[in-house]
Amino acid sequence: MRAPFDETTGLNSLDLPGRPEETRVVVAMSGGVDSSVTAALLKEQGYDVVGVTMQLYDHGVAVQKKGACCAGQDIQDARAVSARIGIPHYVLDYEERFRAAVMEDFAESYAAGETPIPCVRCNERVKFRDLLEMARDLGAAALATGHYIASRAGNGKRELLRPRDHDRDQSYFLFTTTQEQLDFLRFPLGDLTKQETRAMAQRMGLVVADKPDSQDICFVPTGRYTNIIDRMRPGSGGEGDIVHLDGRVLGRHKGIIHYTIGQRRGLGLGASEPDAQPLFVVKLDAPRKRVVVGPKSALLTHRLTLKDVNWLGDDPLSALQDGFELLVRIRSTAAPVPARLIVDMNGLVDVELTGGEEGIAPGQACVFYSVDGERVLGGGFIAKAHLDLADEVNISLSQVVAS
């Protein structure tokens, strides 16, 4: 770890001017081990640390559920850690903001046949917008979080980087971070592994040292997201047809919200499914309430169209009309793969995947990385996956997969 203050440059370990004791830092404390160590580490280095925890919802069962994020017990844990390390701690009631900005979007996207990523929206619309502004109001020089990602001063601005511990890399969930936000944010765990973080928590005597990592979507503690969607979007789970790519109606379903692109099991087709050809969900046609199925070969795509693109590269996005070589990540657990970014004259952004990918769903993220795989260059949400439809499949485009 860097020394708290560099006498030569006049910068502290957060790349901010002034000594740590003269620098106020607000730490977003979720009640987990990572954000707790972030707060404790900065306090050890002498910073004027203020801990804040967002109250995002109140689910009875979630309060006691192990592995759930943002539950009632998390607030108590954050409060206990703050008392242990001797910093002020505040709980912010963001329930209404969270519902409007994250939960409503989640329900709307699923009902539209997409696969949303609520953690991305939470970072984008709550943590790095509302919480960041609150930190400024408190006179902070930075907002620090316990994310496993890094940043550094680059070409006249801060650059976003993958962390040292690639197994814990959270860049997939932070691609919407704008340049203005990035200049104010700090990620002290970027150079640590998870094991080192837990060892620090043990050394510091933090009550959360052995606390399990959160696994669930925080507002779906039971894992049954369809219950949330049914409640927030009544009627979105209506029945419809299961249709083959060749136009045949193979059966009925109880709502497209129960299906995902690439799904193989649980289609309920029985004898309607040809024995020699396993079928997969290749498209969810929400307007017509149809689940479209086909062979595995029909899941492959080499081209994506993106929406809501955030760009953190050095050159303007509009300057990339001739194409730009980079790496992209389509799933949070996958390694970045070679691709080419194409921007047309109207600002429409497409991605050409060199090796192709299977089972890509609208609503997922496509995150951009430099060719060496280390710098995060932004990303976008997938609006459309242009399927490479296999020659041997008889496809009725006008009837089945027309947008």
Side-chain angles (χ1 to χ4, degrees):
M1 302 295 291
R2 280 177 51 187
F5 185 71
D6 188 331
E7 296 282 357
T8 8
T9 64
L11 297 175
N12 55 47
S13 61
L14 296 179
D15 286 331
L16 295 167
R19 295 181 176 278
E21 59 269 22
E22 302 165 349
T23 307
R24 173 166 290 180
V25 182
V26 168
V27 178
M29 300 182 68
S30 67
V33 63
D34 300 323
S35 60
S36 296
V37 168
T38 297
L41 183 62
L42 294 177
K43 176 65 175 178
E44 266 193 356
Q45 292 183 352
Y47 288 95
D48 175 13
V49 178
V50 177
V52 294
T53 300
M54 299 181 297
Q55 180 177 318
L56 301 181
Y57 66 90
D58 182 14
H59 272 309
V61 65
V63 173
Q64 301 299 329
K65 187 177 187 296
K66 283 190 175 182
C69 167
C70 310
Q73 183 60 49
D74 294 324
I75 295 175
Q76 299 303 319
D77 290 342
R79 185 174 287 129
V81 169
S82 298
R84 167 77 181 179
I85 64 179
I87 65 170
H89 175 256
Y90 302 98
V91 178
L92 307 175
D93 183 357
Y94 279 3
E95 285 194 40
E96 286 304 317
R97 304 183 197 200
F98 183 73
R99 180 183 177 89
V102 180
M103 295 176 66
E104 293 286 353
D105 176 82
F106 177 83
E108 188 69 29
S109 294
Y110 252 113
E114 297 181 342
T115 303
I117 317 169
C119 293
V120 174
R121 291 304 192 192
C122 183
N123 289 324
E124 174 192 8
R125 298 176 176 179
V126 183
K127 290 181 184 176
F128 293 169
R129 185 181 66 186
D130 298 334
L131 189 57
L132 189 145
E133 286 307 312
M134 186 280 307
R136 291 187 192 276
D137 291 342
L138 287 176
L143 172 66
T145 78
H147 288 106
Y148 285 90
I149 198 167
S151 69
R152 70 180 176 206
N155 188 18
K157 58 184 180 181
R158 292 195 74 78
E159 297 175 351
L160 196 60
L161 306 168
R162 295 182 73 192
R164 172 186 158 207
D165 188 349
H166 279 192
D167 290 337
R168 304 297 301 188
D169 179 10
Q170 292 177 293
S171 58
Y172 183 85
F173 302 101
L174 297 170
F175 77 88
T176 60
T177 306
T178 66
Q179 188 62 56
E180 182 183 4
Q181 293 167 344
L182 181 55
D183 291 338
F184 190 74
L185 289 163
R186 295 297 185 271
F187 308 103
L189 303 189
D191 291 328
L192 297 178
T193 65
K194 184 71 176 192
Q195 292 73 20
E196 290 168 339
T197 298
R198 286 202 181 276
M200 279 190 175
Q202 292 281 4
R203 174 181 64 78
M204 295 167 170
L206 304 184
V207 67
V208 296
D210 296 319
K211 186 175 181 178
D213 292 335
S214 59
Q215 301 294 330
D216 301 313
I217 297 174
C218 65
F219 56 91
V220 193
T222 63
R224 297 177 182 174
Y225 61 86
T226 53
N227 293 347
I228 297 289
I229 300 165
D230 283 335
R231 189 171 73 242
M232 299 185 71
R233 292 291 183 277
S236 62
E239 294 185 359
D241 290 331
I242 299 177
V243 185
H244 194 278
L245 280 170
D246 61 16
R248 287 177 294 142
V249 176
L250 302 181
R252 297 283 289 173
H253 65 78
K254 294 184 179 180
I256 64 170
I257 62 173
H258 299 283
Y259 297 84
T260 56
I261 301 297
Q263 180 176 333
R264 165 73 183 96
R265 298 183 181 277
L267 299 183
L269 295 176
S272 299
E273 181 176 347
D275 294 337
Q277 192 180 59
L279 297 177
F280 299 78
V281 176
V282 299
K283 182 179 174 66
L284 297 175
D285 185 352
R288 303 174 194 178
K289 296 186 176 181
R290 294 193 298 187
V291 173
V292 183
V293 298
K296 188 176 182 180
S297 58
L299 290 170
L300 184 65
T301 181
H302 280 79
R303 192 178 184 95
L304 310 172
T305 296
L306 306 183
K307 63 181 179 180
D308 300 333
V309 172
N310 179 51
W311 177 247
L312 295 173
D314 295 328
D315 296 324
L317 191 60
S318 58
L320 308 181
Q321 291 183 14
D322 293 332
F324 183 78
E325 302 294 330
L326 75 174
L327 301 182
V328 301
R329 176 185 278 172
I330 306 299
R331 297 175 178 87
S332 63
T333 55
V337 297
R340 187 165 172 261
L341 192 65
I342 301 170
V343 184
D344 71 11
M345 296 182 63
N346 298 316
L348 185 69
V349 178
D350 275 13
V351 171
E352 289 184 350
L353 302 167
T354 304
E357 292 278 345
E358 290 183 344
I360 298 176
Q364 291 179 314
C366 177
V367 184
F368 309 149
Y369 300 88
S370 56
V371 289
D372 64 2
E374 292 305 312
R375 183 178 172 188
V376 184
L377 298 176
F381 291 96
I382 298 169
K384 184 176 183 179
H386 302 266
L387 300 179
D388 299 346
L389 301 172
D391 292 337
E392 68 271 15
V393 180
N394 178 23
I395 301 157
S396 177
L397 287 175
S398 61
Q399 295 181 355
V400 182
V401 296
S403 297

